[in-house]
Coordinates of all heavy atoms in Angstrom, one line a residue:
L70 N 54.7 41.1 -29.6 CA 56.1 40.7 -29.8 C 56.7 40.0 -28.6 O 57.0 40.6 -27.6 CB 57.0 41.9 -30.2 CG 56.7 42.6 -31.5 CD1 57.6 43.8 -31.6 CD2 57.0 41.6 -32.7
P71 N 56.8 38.6 -28.7 CA 57.4 37.9 -27.5 C 58.9 38.1 -27.5 O 59.6 38.3 -28.5 CB 57.1 36.4 -27.9 CG 56.9 36.4 -29.4 CD 56.4 37.7 -29.8
L72 N 59.4 38.2 -26.3 CA 60.8 38.4 -26.1 C 61.4 37.0 -25.9 O 61.0 36.2 -25.0 CB 61.1 39.2 -24.8 CG 60.6 40.7 -24.9 CD1 60.9 41.4 -23.6 CD2 61.2 41.4 -26.0
T73 N 62.4 36.7 -26.8 CA 63.0 35.4 -26.7 C 64.5 35.5 -26.6 O 65.1 36.5 -26.9 CB 62.7 34.6 -28.0 OG1 63.2 35.4 -29.1 CG2 61.2 34.3 -28.1
T74 N 65.2 34.5 -26.1 CA 66.6 34.5 -25.9 C 67.3 33.9 -27.2 O 67.2 32.8 -27.5 CB 67.0 33.6 -24.7 OG1 66.4 34.1 -23.5 CG2 68.5 33.6 -24.5
T75 N 67.9 34.8 -27.9 CA 68.6 34.5 -29.1 C 69.9 35.3 -29.2 O 70.1 36.2 -28.5 CB 67.7 34.8 -30.4 OG1 67.4 36.2 -30.3 CG2 66.4 34.0 -30.4
P76 N 70.8 34.8 -30.1 CA 72.1 35.6 -30.3 C 71.7 37.1 -30.7 O 70.9 37.3 -31.5 CB 72.8 34.9 -31.4 CG 72.2 33.5 -31.4 CD 70.8 33.6 -30.9
L77 N 72.4 38.0 -30.1 CA 72.1 39.4 -30.3 C 72.8 39.9 -31.6 O 73.7 40.8 -31.6 CB 72.6 40.2 -29.1 CG 72.0 39.8 -27.8 CD1 72.5 40.7 -26.6 CD2 70.5 39.9 -27.8
Q78 N 72.3 39.4 -32.7 CA 72.8 39.8 -34.0 C 71.8 40.8 -34.7 O 70.6 40.5 -34.8 CB 73.0 38.6 -34.9 CG 73.4 38.9 -36.3 CD 74.7 39.6 -36.4 OE1 75.7 39.2 -35.8 NE2 74.8 40.6 -37.3
L79 N 72.3 42.0 -35.1 CA 71.5 42.9 -35.7 C 71.3 42.6 -37.2 O 72.2 42.1 -37.8 CB 72.1 44.3 -35.6 CG 71.9 45.1 -34.3 CD1 72.6 46.5 -34.5 CD2 70.4 45.4 -34.1
R80 N 70.1 42.9 -37.7 CA 69.9 42.8 -39.2 C 68.7 43.7 -39.5 O 67.8 43.9 -38.7 CB 69.7 41.4 -39.7 CG 68.4 40.8 -39.3 CD 68.3 39.3 -39.7 NE 67.0 38.8 -39.6 CZ 66.5 38.3 -38.5 NH1 67.2 38.3 -37.4 NH2 65.2 37.8 -38.5
T81 N 68.8 44.4 -40.7 CA 67.8 45.4 -41.0 C 67.3 45.1 -42.4 O 68.0 44.7 -43.3 CB 68.4 46.8 -41.0 OG1 68.8 47.0 -39.6 CG2 67.4 47.8 -41.4
Y82 N 66.0 45.4 -42.6 CA 65.3 45.2 -43.9 C 64.8 46.6 -44.3 O 64.1 47.2 -43.6 CB 64.2 44.2 -43.8 CG 64.7 42.8 -43.4 CD1 64.8 42.5 -42.1 CD2 65.0 41.8 -44.4 CE1 65.3 41.2 -41.7 CE2 65.5 40.6 -44.0 CZ 65.6 40.3 -42.7 OH 66.0 39.0 -42.3
S83 N 65.0 47.0 -45.6 CA 64.6 48.3 -46.1 C 63.8 48.1 -47.4 O 64.2 47.3 -48.2 CB 65.8 49.2 -46.3 OG 65.5 50.3 -47.0
D84 N 62.7 48.9 -47.5 CA 61.9 48.8 -48.7 C 61.2 50.2 -48.9 O 61.2 51.0 -48.0 CB 60.9 47.7 -48.6 CG 60.4 47.2 -49.9 OD1 60.8 47.7 -50.9 OD2 59.6 46.2 -49.9
A85 N 60.7 50.4 -50.1 CA 60.0 51.6 -50.4 C 58.9 51.3 -51.4 O 59.0 50.5 -52.3 CB 60.9 52.7 -50.9
D86 N 57.8 52.0 -51.2 CA 56.7 51.9 -52.2 C 56.7 53.2 -53.1 O 56.3 54.2 -52.6 CB 55.3 51.8 -51.4 CG 54.1 51.7 -52.3 OD1 54.3 51.1 -53.4 OD2 53.0 52.1 -52.0
W87 N 57.2 53.0 -54.3 CA 57.5 54.1 -55.1 C 56.1 54.7 -55.6 O 55.3 54.0 -56.2 CB 58.3 53.7 -56.3 CG 58.5 54.8 -57.3 CD1 58.9 56.1 -57.1 CD2 58.3 54.7 -58.8 NE1 59.0 56.8 -58.3 CE2 58.7 56.0 -59.3 CE3 58.0 53.7 -59.6 CZ2 58.6 56.2 -60.7 CZ3 57.9 53.9 -61.0 CH2 58.2 55.2 -61.5
A88 N 56.0 56.1 -55.4 CA 54.8 56.8 -55.8 C 53.5 56.1 -55.4 O 52.5 56.1 -56.2 CB 54.8 57.0 -57.4
G89 N 53.5 55.6 -54.2 CA 52.3 54.8 -53.8 C 51.1 55.6 -53.4 O 50.0 55.0 -53.4
D90 N 51.3 56.8 -53.0 CA 50.2 57.6 -52.6 C 49.5 58.1 -53.8 O 50.0 58.9 -54.6 CB 50.7 58.8 -51.7 CG 49.5 59.5 -51.0 OD1 48.5 59.9 -51.7 OD2 49.6 59.7 -49.8
P91 N 48.2 57.8 -54.0 CA 47.5 58.1 -55.2 C 47.1 59.6 -55.3 O 46.8 60.1 -56.4 CB 46.2 57.3 -55.1 CG 46.0 57.1 -53.7 CD 47.4 56.9 -53.1
H92 N 47.2 60.3 -54.2 CA 46.9 61.8 -54.2 C 48.0 62.7 -54.5 O 47.8 63.6 -55.3 CB 46.3 62.1 -52.8 CG 45.2 61.3 -52.3 ND1 43.9 61.4 -53.0 CD2 45.0 60.4 -51.4 CE1 43.1 60.6 -52.4 NE2 43.7 59.9 -51.4
D93 N 49.2 62.4 -54.0 CA 50.4 63.3 -54.3 C 51.5 62.6 -54.9 O 52.6 63.2 -55.2 CB 50.8 64.1 -53.1 CG 51.2 63.1 -51.9 OD1 51.4 61.9 -52.2 OD2 51.2 63.6 -50.8
R94 N 51.4 61.2 -55.1 CA 52.4 60.4 -55.7 C 53.8 60.4 -55.0 O 54.8 60.2 -55.6 CB 52.6 60.8 -57.2 CG 51.5 60.3 -58.1 CD 51.3 58.8 -57.9 NE 50.1 58.3 -58.6 CZ 49.6 57.1 -58.5 NH1 50.2 56.3 -57.7 NH2 48.5 56.7 -59.2
K95 N 53.7 60.7 -53.7 CA 54.9 60.5 -52.9 C 55.1 59.1 -52.5 O 54.2 58.3 -52.4 CB 54.9 61.4 -51.7 CG 54.9 62.9 -52.0 CD 54.9 63.7 -50.7 CE 55.0 65.2 -51.0 NZ 54.9 66.1 -49.8
S96 N 56.4 58.7 -52.3 CA 56.7 57.3 -52.0 C 56.7 57.1 -50.4 O 56.7 58.1 -49.7 CB 58.1 57.0 -52.5 OG 58.2 57.2 -53.9
T97 N 56.6 55.9 -50.0 CA 56.6 55.6 -48.6 C 57.9 54.8 -48.2 O 58.2 53.8 -48.9 CB 55.4 54.7 -48.2 OG1 54.2 55.5 -48.5 CG2 55.4 54.4 -46.7
T98 N 58.6 55.2 -47.2 CA 59.8 54.5 -46.7 C 59.3 53.6 -45.6 O 58.5 53.9 -44.8 CB 60.8 55.5 -46.1 OG1 61.4 56.2 -47.2 CG2 61.8 54.8 -45.3

Side-chain angles (χ1 to χ4, degrees):
L70 290 173
L72 299 178
T73 56
T74 303
T75 55
L77 300 180
Q78 174 63 45
L79 279 178
R80 69 184 192 279
T81 298
Y82 300 86
S83 170
D84 204 356
D86 183 28
W87 176 48
D90 192 306
H92 303 292
D93 57 18
R94 286 306 173 188
K95 290 182 179 178
S96 304
T97 300
T98 288

